[in-house]
């Protein structure tokens, strides 16, 4: 079996390979069902990041919502303008702006704001999301459809009415479960 030097080298390499394989199997013991155990960690990280984002949104936009509830809509819109400029990729400012504009009766502007917000983040139409504004969006879509359809009938060549109708249809499709 160990007749010459070549055999001894082959057996030494084979023993080293088996030892390495055993070490790798023992080190990889955290795997279950072919999935690494770190998958739970990644899901937890995503959940924590989402919760942190919701907390940040609440902290940033809390004063604006307080102004809105106090009836100081103009001040709320001014603060929202500043926040939207500072955080251009954040959808919450657009959604709040849409809500305030809708309360003030500026339907076309409210539609545009909701449209921009939903394009940035679709969580606002998801019932399970803590950010959900589905009921407000549905009310806006219903009223906007009635109002804009009537105006479109009176002015069929008006491009701004057509653009508002496209935005309403986009919001309808997102409410129905469609994606981008």
């Amino acid at each position: 079996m160990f007749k010459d030097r070549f055999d001894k080298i082959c057996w030494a390499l084979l023993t080293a390979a088996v030892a390495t394989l055993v070490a790798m199997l023992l080190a990889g013991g955290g795997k279950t069902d072919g999935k690494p155990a770190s998958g739970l960690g990644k899901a937890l990280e995503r959940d924590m990041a989402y919760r942190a984002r919701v907390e940040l949104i609440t902290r940033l936009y809390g004063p604006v919502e307080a102004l809105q509830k106090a009836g100081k809509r103009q001040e709320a819109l001014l603060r929202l303008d500043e926040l939207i400029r500072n955080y251009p990729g954040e959808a919450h400012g657009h959604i709040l702006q849409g809500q305030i504009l809708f309360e003030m009766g500026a339907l076309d502007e409210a539609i545009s704001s909701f449209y921009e917000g939903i394009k940035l983040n679709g969580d606002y139409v998801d019932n399970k999301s803590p950010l959900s504004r589905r009921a407000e969006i549905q009310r806006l879509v219903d009223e906007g459809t009635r109002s804009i359809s009537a105006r479109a009938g009176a002015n069929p060549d008006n491009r701004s009415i057509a653009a508002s109708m496209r935005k309403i249809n986009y919001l309808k499709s997102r409410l129905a479960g469609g994606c981008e």
Side-chain angles (χ1 to χ4, degrees), residues 9-168:
I9 292 173
C10 285
W11 279 104
L13 289 175
L14 183 62
T15 305
V18 168
T20 304
L21 181 62
V22 168
M24 287 174 61
L25 288 174
L26 291 176
K31 293 186 178 187
T32 56
D33 299 333
K35 295 181 182 175
S38 64
L40 179 61
K42 289 181 183 179
L44 184 61
E45 285 177 20
R46 276 193 306 270
D47 186 46
M48 288 179 67
Y50 187 76
R51 288 175 191 244
R53 183 174 171 271
V54 170
E55 181 63 33
L56 176 67
I57 287 171
T58 304
R59 198 175 78 238
L60 282 174
Y61 294 98
V64 174
E65 289 178 349
L67 286 171
Q68 177 187 8
K69 288 177 184 169
K72 299 178 180 179
R73 294 184 185 115
Q74 294 296 333
E75 284 183 51
L77 284 174
L78 288 173
R79 288 220 181 146
L80 273 175
D81 264 352
E82 181 181 333
L83 286 170
I84 289 171
R85 277 193 310 270
N86 290 339
Y87 302 98
E90 181 55 55
H92 198 75
H94 294 284
I95 299 296
L96 280 176
Q97 187 179 44
Q99 286 178 321
I100 294 170
L101 289 169
F102 186 50
E103 290 172 1
M104 294 173 73
L107 189 62
D108 289 342
E109 292 81 5
I111 290 168
S112 292
S113 290
F114 273 106
Y115 172 80
E116 291 299 322
I118 298 301
K119 281 192 77 72
L120 288 172
N121 186 352
D123 286 350
Y124 293 93
V125 294
D126 183 11
N127 275 334
K128 296 175 186 171
S129 172
L131 301 173
S132 180
R133 297 286 195 272
R134 187 175 184 87
E136 291 93 346
I137 296 169
Q138 185 65 56
R139 236 182 20 252
L140 173 81
V141 166
D142 293 342
E143 188 172 322
T145 301
R146 282 191 304 273
S147 173
I148 292 174
S149 295
R151 289 189 325 199
N155 300 316
D157 295 333
N158 190 326
R159 290 184 184 180
S160 66
I161 292 174
S164 292
M165 204 59 201
R166 279 193 304 274
K167 290 174 183 175
I168 285 283

